[in-house]
Amino acid sequence: MAPKVTAIGAVSFFCPGIPRPQGSKQPWRSPAGRLLMVEASRGLKPWRDSIVAAGLAARAEQQGWPVQLNGFSVRIASLVFALARPPSHLLKSGGIAPGAPVRPRVAPDADKLARAVFDALTGVLWHDDAQVVSVERLCKVYTRDTPGMFLNAVVLEKQPHADVALEG
């Protein structure tokens, strides 16, 4: 039987902006002639800066998030990326065109969007993104409102070492 896990703090926030993926690299030659691999996603740094600012503000406003970040596990209940609906999906009347997809099925990949969030929040909500032990809901949706990212996470109390038996 799995040990009982208790949430000791929670944080929820929306970060407005255009979600940017992290993880794809492209080669770039330095002025010294060295070949370097750099992030292919333009706008990643400002997006990550926005996530840091939103995470710090949410942590300051909401109770229970530990000051000492090391040693805790974090469960992300929800990580939702709201992407702007392309104009081709809209009718001139403002409605959504018949046949327009409900959810984005094109780039950017959800896992690469999540990677940018996890790395941006390192040192803000967790010491290392390896502390994120589960993501219960990761999705991309279209919006006609403000694009951005919604995160809802809980920090779990420190647990004694225990193994979990997987049943299948």
Side-chain angles (χ1 to χ4, degrees):
M1 180 172 197
K4 184 176 189 286
V5 179
T6 304
I8 60 170
V11 67
S12 296
F13 65 93
F14 178 75
C15 179
I18 300 172
R20 299 291 184 190
Q22 177 178 320
S24 297
K25 307 283 186 191
Q26 65 184 22
W28 178 78
R29 192 162 302 277
S30 74
R34 292 183 48 200
L35 188 61
L36 305 171
M37 298 302 287
V38 296
E39 274 299 325
S41 179
R42 295 187 191 276
L44 177 61
K45 177 149 180 23
W47 171 239
R48 286 181 51 167
D49 291 346
S50 295
I51 294 168
V52 167
L56 286 170
R59 183 176 167 187
E61 292 171 7
Q62 299 174 29
Q63 300 296 317
W65 204 265
V67 174
Q68 176 62 31
L69 302 173
N70 206 5
F72 290 94
S73 298
V74 176
R75 182 179 72 226
I76 302 214
S78 199
L79 182 54
V80 179
F81 296 95
L83 307 176
R85 188 174 282 282
S88 62
H89 291 190
L90 303 176
L91 300 170
K92 290 184 183 189
S93 65
I96 298 173
V102 175
R103 297 184 186 275
R105 297 183 302 238
V106 296
D109 297 353
D111 64 322
K112 290 185 179 182
L113 292 170
R115 185 178 302 159
V117 172
F118 291 175
D119 285 352
L121 292 175
T122 296
V124 176
L125 296 183
W126 40 76
H127 176 72
D128 185 305
D129 59 0
Q131 290 172 262
V132 176
V133 295
S134 70
V135 178
E136 294 175 10
R137 179 177 180 222
L138 170 63
C139 68
K140 303 184 298 183
V141 297
Y142 279 129
T143 185
R144 289 190 279 174
D145 295 325
T146 305
M149 177 270 306
F150 174 77
L151 180 129
N152 180 356
V154 295
V155 65
L156 308 173
E157 71 180 353
K158 293 182 182 182
Q159 295 292 311
H161 296 286
D163 291 331
V164 176
L166 299 178
E167 298 176 18

